Amino acid sequence: MIDTSGGVFVVADGMGGHNAGEVAAGLAVESIRTFVSDEDRPSAGGLEEAVRAANRNILDTAARRPECAGMGTTVAVALVTPTGALLSSVGDSRIYRLRQGRLTQLTQDDSWIAKLQSEGVELTQSEIERHPMRHVLTDVVGTRADLAPHAEEHAFEPGDMLLLCSDGLHGVLRSDLIEELLSADGTVSAVTEALVSTAVANGATDNVTAVVLRRSA
Ligand code: CA
Ligand code: CA
């Protein structure tokens, strides 16, 4: 949403009834921002610790507030550094990079489908769309104390774009369409709006959340 060369960006897609999902997502964003702003020098280890802090914060809150029991959230977080971007994700929110017109997915889903694929099971797009386990996540933030998030640094060079998005977006837009929409001329906010409105027009029934970043030349 912001054209920037520094900062931290988070997409969090919460789950849990009676607004508990929004509580979990809000806690994740706040914990990660607070933790990262206290770090002198951003590192992959520091970003992993920030996600663990979010996890503890959600677990502690759920233990105190019965109406929040069982809440959780996905996170996709990008911490832009002078030379690249530190990325981490838990759940099925994703981060993609567009470089010279080519889209690459930089994070792996923590989902049942992704687990099958990592074990070498080949699934066609239509098999995935009809798979009874297609919405099942193998990890989210806030449901187990021993969450072990992974962060790593990726190149993010002048002209590159990053897209952080919830499954409400990537679940209804094929990657070639995401690539085309990200490649369009225009401000990052216009590109973001086009992605979200196209997802809605394509029948998104879930929350559609997207953040687009472009490294200025
Ligand atoms: Ca992950
Ligand atoms: Ca979702």
Side-chain angles (χ1 to χ4, degrees):
M1 275 173 196
I2 305 162
D3 197 349
T4 185
S5 56
V8 60
F9 301 87
V10 187
V11 163
D13 189 10
M15 49 211 70
H18 306 290
N19 288 326
E22 285 91 290
V23 173
L27 287 169
V29 170
E30 185 193 312
S31 308
I32 291 169
R33 283 192 177 283
T34 305
F35 191 96
V36 167
S37 66
D38 288 347
E39 290 276 281
D40 311 333
R41 213 172 321 154
S43 66
L47 185 55
E48 288 169 357
E49 186 49 41
V51 178
R52 283 197 293 270
N55 189 55
R56 284 193 298 273
N57 197 355
I58 294 168
L59 283 167
D60 290 350
T61 304
R64 285 197 313 272
R65 294 172 53 180
E67 76 278 15
C68 289
M71 68 178 173
T73 185
T74 72
V75 297
V77 48
L79 176 54
V80 177
T81 69
T83 51
L86 294 159
L87 308 182
S88 185
S89 79
V90 180
D92 62 356
S93 292
R94 291 185 184 167
I95 304 177
Y96 295 89
R97 181 180 59 210
L98 185 83
R99 166 171 292 170
Q100 290 169 347
R102 284 294 171 85
L103 190 75
T104 309
Q105 184 183 331
L106 299 180
T107 56
Q108 276 78 49
D109 292 349
D110 298 304
S111 69
W112 189 255
I113 296 282
K115 186 170 184 292
L116 288 178
Q117 290 172 324
S118 74
E119 288 166 355
V121 177
E122 289 185 25
L123 296 168
T124 64
Q125 193 57 38
S126 71
E127 283 170 334
I128 291 172
E129 282 162 13
R130 281 172 303 173
H131 200 287
M133 303 281 272
R134 67 191 176 283
H135 296 303
V136 178
L137 301 183
T138 53
D139 240 343
V140 290
V141 180
T143 57
R144 62 185 178 98
D146 60 349
L147 180 76
H150 175 68
E152 61 185 25
E153 184 154 24
H154 288 268
F156 180 39
E157 294 171 355
D160 287 353
M161 297 174 83
L162 292 179
L163 167 66
L164 287 66
C165 64
S166 66
D167 66 317
L169 189 135
H170 67 70
V172 296
L173 297 186
R174 289 164 45 126
S175 57
D176 52 355
L177 185 52
I178 296 176
E179 184 178 273
E180 184 187 320
L181 291 165
L182 273 179
S183 301
D185 288 333
T187 62
V188 287
S189 61
V191 169
T192 310
E193 267 172 44
L195 283 162
V196 172
S197 60
T198 308
V200 171
N202 276 256
T205 51
D206 201 1
N207 288 351
V208 180
T209 311
V211 173
V212 176
L213 309 175
R214 182 188 282 134
R215 174 82 86 179
S216 43

